[in-house]
Amino acid sequence: MDRSGTKGTATAIRYALLIFSLAVVLIPVYVLIITSFKGSAEADPSRTWFLPEVWQTANWQRAWDALAAPIGRTFMLVIPSSIISAMLGSMNGFVLSRWRFPGANIIFTLILFGMFIPYQAVMIPLMKMVLTMGLPNGIPTLILAHVVYGIPITTLIFRNYYESVPQELIEASRVDGAGMLRTYFSVVLPISIPSFVVVLIWQFTSAWNDFLFALFLTNTETGPVTLSLNNLAHGSIMADYGASMAGALLASAPTLIVYILLGKYFVGGLMSGSVKG
């Protein structure tokens, strides 16, 4: 009975903590949703927690008018940058995990250093390089920045995954006469789907939520949705809380949908390379 009571108490505490954590996460979402349907008179900090007396959709229309084009440009950014950085990281990870050469560990360590350099530290040299090369402000330059800055994390994920691929599979391809490129494209790449899911979700989210690179390398006319959302929230003397909240929900919807649809594959992909064998 004592054990049963102790177990029941522990279970109750765990559920209480989970419910509390869920409430902490959902409270901001609740505020976002109800404020997005409030009129200007009701969208006031003093009435944050109250439901709207009159539900309106004008905020959503204003937010969509302001963010429709930037959302399209953001898709033009995140899709190629995610795919390119994933492919480069996959090739790097394969070479560094299976084709040993002098200095391979040093090169891998140097690549990983890129993960620990904050965005703020590279902005000034990045801007000087962009100006020196004559690159225009816009999505193509932003794609290049995200591809380069995404290589360290994508290389790490793929290298760890390829370390778990049986060596016998690689040796069998060599026996059949396949070289490095043939082994990669015909044998390794088809079994890399779990890691590609992880990397694509990671890079998609990182590029979609980026603000600092976008601030330096683009503007509100040529940049992604984060810049336009910032302009929507602070572009007038009196803050338009309703449109800002609706805009925040619109801007976050794609990443939310990606995680809802692919979340279980994301966790599975992360775990797939955790055990070697």
Side-chain angles (χ1 to χ4, degrees):
M1 293 297 294
D2 292 339
R3 290 184 178 180
S4 178
T6 303
K7 185 176 180 180
T9 301
T11 302
I13 292 174
R14 285 198 296 268
Y15 277 109
L17 291 175
L18 287 174
I19 294 173
F20 174 76
S21 301
L22 182 63
V24 170
V25 172
L26 292 182
I27 284 175
V29 178
Y30 164 78
V31 174
L32 279 172
I33 294 175
I34 64 171
T35 306
S36 68
F37 289 100
K38 291 181 179 179
S40 57
E42 291 187 85
D44 185 85
S46 62
R47 296 181 55 84
T48 298
W49 306 104
F50 298 101
L51 292 173
E53 296 180 1
V54 179
W55 294 75
Q56 302 183 15
T57 58
N59 295 325
W60 288 86
Q61 185 61 51
R62 290 199 302 275
W64 178 251
D65 292 341
L67 301 181
I71 288 176
R73 290 195 297 268
T74 308
F75 276 110
M76 294 172 60
L77 160 67
V78 299
I79 293 175
S81 63
S82 300
I83 294 174
I84 295 172
S85 60
M87 284 300 303
L88 292 176
S90 175
M91 290 186 284
N92 287 343
F94 174 64
V95 171
L96 292 171
S97 65
R98 293 301 182 181
W99 296 82
R100 302 297 184 182
F101 56 90
N105 291 332
I106 296 176
I107 292 176
F108 179 60
T109 302
L110 293 176
I111 291 176
L112 290 187
F113 279 156
M115 292 175 54
F116 305 103
I117 301 176
Y119 286 10
Q120 296 85 347
V122 302
M123 283 300 110
I124 294 178
L126 177 62
M127 282 301 301
K128 288 185 176 180
M129 184 182 69
V130 168
L131 293 175
T132 301
M133 297 174 63
L135 298 177
N137 286 346
I139 295 300
T141 304
L142 200 55
I143 291 174
L144 178 61
H146 279 288
V147 168
V148 173
Y149 214 86
I151 287 177
I153 183 62
T154 58
T155 299
L156 174 64
I157 292 174
F158 277 108
R159 183 183 183 272
N160 291 342
Y161 177 75
Y162 292 144
E163 286 284 353
S164 66
V165 175
Q167 181 63 26
E168 291 78 6
L169 190 63
I170 307 299
E171 293 176 354
S173 66
R174 293 179 180 176
V175 171
D176 291 339
M180 180 177 66
L181 291 179
R182 182 63 181 274
T183 299
Y184 171 74
F185 284 105
S186 299
V187 178
V188 175
L189 190 60
I191 63 174
S192 303
I193 300 302
S195 286
F196 268 100
V197 171
V198 173
V199 168
L200 289 174
I201 293 176
W202 185 284
Q203 289 299 101
F204 182 96
T205 306
S206 176
W208 188 280
N209 293 331
D210 169 62
F211 179 77
L212 192 59
F213 276 145
L215 182 64
F216 277 81
L217 301 178
T218 63
N219 53 56
T220 54
E221 299 298 324
T222 62
V225 68
T226 49
L227 287 185
S228 298
L229 180 61
N230 180 71
N231 188 59
L232 176 65
H234 303 287
S236 58
I237 298 177
M238 180 177 293
D240 190 348
Y241 293 109
S244 299
M245 299 300 180
L249 290 170
L250 285 173
S252 61
T255 53
L256 180 62
I257 292 172
V258 166
Y259 271 107
I260 291 175
L261 296 179
L262 301 176
K264 62 179 180 180
Y265 302 105
F266 181 79
V267 176
L270 283 176
M271 296 298 295
S272 62
S274 61
V275 179
K276 185 174 180 179

